[in-house]
Amino acid sequence: MESMEKLKELLDESYTWPAPYLFKFIVPTSELSSLEKFTAKYVMTQKPSKNGKYTSVSITVNCESSQQVLEFYEKVSVIPGIISL
């Protein structure tokens, strides 16, 4: 995917690996447990939306490379309705 290649280039230009990387997602609250399965070993900050239908999630992960960042995005992309920011 061309967009993933561009993201990898941007990450490599912006970070010196290994480095902490902040992942931000908006996930339907009903799918929050699905995200937690992928992030069990990391500290998650959660903030529910006003009506509780969605939850904003922030996770800082110490990544070894831009490839690890891309792989993390790939893993969580299977969650229905997730939005990666």
Side-chain angles (χ1 to χ4, degrees), residues 10-70:
L10 286 171
L11 289 170
D12 286 335
E13 289 173 8
S14 302
Y15 290 87
T16 302
W17 304 105
Y21 184 81
L22 178 63
F23 291 91
K24 290 186 163 230
F25 304 102
I26 296 174
V27 63
T29 301
S30 61
E31 295 293 336
L32 194 55
S33 61
S34 298
L35 181 60
E36 289 171 342
K37 290 176 188 173
F38 292 106
T39 61
K41 61 183 176 181
Y42 307 112
V43 176
M44 268 191 347
T45 304
Q46 302 176 21
K47 183 179 177 190
S49 64
K50 185 178 176 181
N51 64 7
K53 188 174 179 181
Y54 294 95
T55 301
S56 170
V57 178
S58 299
I59 308 159
T60 300
V61 177
N62 287 318
C63 294
E64 296 297 318
S65 66
S66 57
Q67 187 61 39
Q68 186 179 358
V69 172
L70 297 178

